[in-house]
Amino acid sequence: MKVDVLLGLQWGDEGKGKIVDVLTPKYDIIARFQGGPNAGHTIEFDNKKFVLHTIPSGIFNKNTTNVVGNGVIIDPFVIKKEIENLKGGDIEVSDNLLISKKAHLILPTHRLLDTVFEKAKGNKKIGSTLKGIGPTYTDKISRNGLRIGNIENSDFDTKYQEARKRHLKTIIQYDPSYELLTIDGLSFPEYEKAWMEALEVVRGLKKINSEYYLNKALDNGQRVLAEGAQGTMLDIDFGSYPYVTSSNTTTAGTCIGLGIAPARIGKVFGIFKAYCTRVGSGPFPTELFDNNGQQLRDIGREYGSTTGRPRRCGWIDLPALRYAIMLNGVTEMMMMKADVLNLFDQVKVATAYNYNGKSSDEIPFDSVNTEIIPEYETLDGWKSELDSIEDYEQFPQALKKYVAYIEKQLNVPIGIVSVGPDRSQTIFTKHT
Ligand code: GDP
Ligand code: IMO
Ligand code: MG
């Protein structure tokens, strides 16, 4: 068997959590391959709403195993809260959650480092979620990290203290009064205490060598779906550097983050919103600063699932989507939040970029410092509610045209159109 992959084609928050949950009954295993608690994946069903940060979105199906892969970074404080929230909703996390021993740990001092580094950047700040992502991946790459498997070793406390000491040396240089900084509303000593308590919860979770587990599962004919976090345009290599996250969010990240050989990648599902959003700093060529942008934010409830920050909103960006399709080898797409455009008379689509006096389909190397003017085509809006629609054939003509137009422009079929946040508001198109 091969691993299917589901990942975001834009700047994150495309609706990955919702679609992974919808597809879960078709799979035996859902595996997260990168990112950490910077992710916020929302799942809604039966009038209940959950936001997951670390735990894969297959957790609501009792028959599915959920694997947190080696490419993910884990904050015990956050995963403990996730488990408690799920418990509150009668979802018991037990044998169906497995954690890679090779996944790295986010320490309390990684959170402080994120805060002081971001502050030092002033108006060039990344707009990080401040969950410790950059500093933790930095320690991984510089071979200083602590991994989940280390928790069980007798020298864990020594290693923790060494890392803490090393981090504090840097933190003090950036902010001598760092003791006044808070993490998620707690003082550093309070947070560290809560983190240590949470570590006990992580000690009780099932830990595995996930690369062996997953490859054996594939050998035995099990169906695996890899769940991405963030989006292609936030990839450390291919996003608008430095305004990116610190992991590879693309299909290649699945191979590294799960230990899957490239030839074992199957279908690649690329998910995008019918428009665009971005949270945090960095280039966003189709961003709208007018009433249309505000309308997208209000109707689409575009406020961060992890931080609550308002998301920047704009029209759909085909050059960026083409780039994402190329990098990921997307075989099928899902278009999300079509309902958010219900009231618009007209919908704009960026088909090319204009910069340095020329029209181009390529994103320039220095997208941060290049003024990019999008070239738009305007399509008719559908001006109707999609609430009662149960079937693709019932779509208003203008929406069918919008879907067909994007498919033609991108040369990849759209298998799902999502018309609301609930699990049930998912329309499979003629392709599926
Ligand atoms: P993820 O990070 O890719 O999983 O996406 P998020 O959960 O951060 O953000 C997507 C938001 O849109 C969530 O609040 C979802 O409940 C919501 N959502 C998902 N699909 C739809 C849709 O088709 N229509 C509307 N209106 N909301 C949706
Ligand atoms: P999901 O999985 C949207 C953004 C941050 C910031 C940049 C770097 O829910 O789609 P980091 O915390 O990684 O240092 O932040 O990346 N970002 C996201 N934006 N969705 C996400 O995840 C994101 N994770 C990080 O806003 O601009
Ligand atoms: Mg999100």
Side-chain angles (χ1 to χ4, degrees):
M1 296 294 283
K2 294 194 172 193
V3 174
D4 293 342
V5 183
L6 184 141
L7 43 73
L9 299 181
Q10 297 166 320
W11 284 273
D13 301 331
E14 296 90 350
K16 298 174 290 293
K18 171 181 163 162
I19 296 299
V20 169
D21 171 66
V22 166
L23 297 181
T24 290
K26 295 186 181 180
Y27 291 92
D28 301 300
I29 298 171
I30 307 293
R32 261 281 297 273
F33 59 89
Q34 45 68 235
N38 48 350
H41 295 181
T42 314
I43 295 101
E44 290 191 38
F45 56 93
D46 299 344
N47 293 320
K48 286 190 261 186
K49 178 173 164 174
F50 297 93
V51 181
L52 297 172
H53 304 287
T54 324
I55 296 174
S57 304
I59 200 72
F60 304 99
N61 186 326
K62 281 201 177 76
N63 303 321
T64 304
T65 302
N66 292 269
V67 175
V68 180
N70 58 279
V72 178
I73 55 176
I74 298 174
D75 188 331
F77 180 81
V78 176
I79 201 169
K80 174 175 176 257
K81 268 198 182 166
E82 281 179 75
I83 293 169
E84 285 167 359
N85 282 344
L86 286 167
K87 244 186 209 155
D90 285 335
I91 310 291
E92 202 58 50
V93 172
S94 51
D95 286 352
N96 64 341
L97 178 66
L98 307 175
I99 315 273
S100 169
K101 291 185 187 174
K102 293 192 173 72
H104 278 244
L105 273 170
I106 302 175
L107 310 183
T109 39
H110 284 132
R111 299 285 307 269
L112 290 183
L113 282 168
D114 219 0
T115 302
V116 298
F117 288 158
E118 185 80 334
K119 255 196 191 157
K121 284 185 189 289
N123 63 7
K124 290 204 168 59
K125 70 174 185 189
I126 306 296
S128 167
T129 61
L130 303 179
K131 299 295 177 189
I133 304 299
T136 305
Y137 277 120
T138 300
D139 268 357
K140 173 179 175 174
I141 299 299
S142 64
R143 297 160 293 182
N144 283 310
L146 282 177
R147 299 186 288 177
I148 288 288
N150 293 126
I151 299 175
E152 280 154 11
N153 297 347
S154 56
D155 63 352
F156 178 78
D157 285 345
T158 312
K159 285 202 161 137
Y160 174 84
Q161 290 303 333
E162 279 168 7
R164 183 186 192 276
K165 206 167 145 193
R166 183 167 47 82
H167 292 157
L168 284 175
K169 268 191 196 164
T170 306
I171 293 162
I172 287 168
Q173 280 178 17
Y174 276 78
D175 185 352
S177 51
Y178 76 91
E179 276 153 330
L180 302 176
L181 295 174
T182 57
I183 310 172
D184 291 351
L186 300 177
S187 69
F188 177 58
E190 283 169 343
Y191 184 85
E192 197 176 32
K193 187 167 172 278
W195 189 92
M196 287 295 176
E197 283 163 15
L199 200 60
E200 290 309 312
V201 173
V202 175
R203 282 203 167 97
L205 297 176
K206 274 199 159 178
K207 298 173 213 70
I208 55 163
N209 285 320
S210 56
E211 63 278 30
Y212 281 115
Y213 179 87
L214 290 169
N215 281 288
K216 281 182 191 161
L218 294 171
D219 291 344
N220 293 331
Q222 295 212 290
R223 296 155 303 171
V224 180
L225 177 67
E227 173 177 358
Q230 290 77 56
T232 302
M233 303 307 287
L234 290 170
D235 182 275
I236 182 76
D237 280 272
F238 299 107
S240 44
Y241 195 88
Y243 298 102
V244 292
T245 190
S246 300
S247 64
N248 284 114
T249 58
T250 38
T251 303
T254 311
C255 298
I256 299 296
L258 296 177
I260 300 293
R264 275 203 138 159
I265 298 292
K267 294 179 191 164
V268 179
F269 303 121
I271 178 164
F272 67 96
K273 284 179 190 172
Y275 50 98
C276 262
T277 64
R278 177 169 197 163
V279 59
S281 324
F284 182 0
T286 62
E287 183 167 10
L288 290 166
F289 300 95
D290 59 6
N291 192 39
N292 284 330
Q294 191 55 44
Q295 239 181 308
L296 288 172
R297 191 171 305 113
D298 291 343
I299 303 170
R301 288 187 281 151
E302 295 295 357
Y303 296 89
S305 314
T306 297
T307 57
R309 291 178 294 175
R311 296 180 184 140
R312 300 155 66 192
C313 297
W315 298 119
I316 198 165
D317 181 336
L318 297 186
L321 283 174
R322 276 193 200 103
Y323 183 62
I325 288 166
M326 173 184 84
L327 295 171
N328 290 304
V330 175
T331 56
E332 186 180 319
M333 297 188 295
M334 283 111 185
M335 185 172 93
M336 308 301 289
K337 304 190 93 160
D339 54 300
V340 175
L341 297 176
N342 284 353
L343 295 178
F344 286 78
D345 291 324
Q346 292 182 317
V347 182
K348 284 195 177 186
V349 177
T351 54
Y353 291 162
N354 197 300
Y355 53 89
N356 300 336
K358 275 193 217 138
S359 178
S360 173
D361 192 32
E362 287 192 14
I363 300 170
F365 164 70
D366 193 1
S367 61
V368 175
N369 294 306
T370 308
E371 196 200 349
I372 298 173
I373 302 161
E375 294 173 6
Y376 288 107
E377 273 200 36
T378 304
L379 277 76
D380 287 337
W382 37 97
K383 300 282 288 174
S384 53
E385 295 293 327
L386 304 174
D387 287 349
S388 56
I389 287 182
E390 290 174 356
D391 187 72
Y392 180 76
E393 291 312 319
Q394 297 169 349
F395 272 171
Q397 213 48 39
L399 175 54
K400 279 189 184 168
K401 268 194 176 167
Y402 190 66
V403 172
Y405 177 84
I406 292 169
E407 283 182 325
K408 189 158 180 246
Q409 285 276 338
L410 301 177
N411 204 21
V412 181
I414 295 177
I416 285 177
V417 177
S418 177
V419 295
D422 194 86
R423 187 192 268 172
S424 63
Q425 293 169 302
T426 310
I427 311 295
F428 289 83
T429 69
K430 53 198 183 299
H431 298 295
T432 42

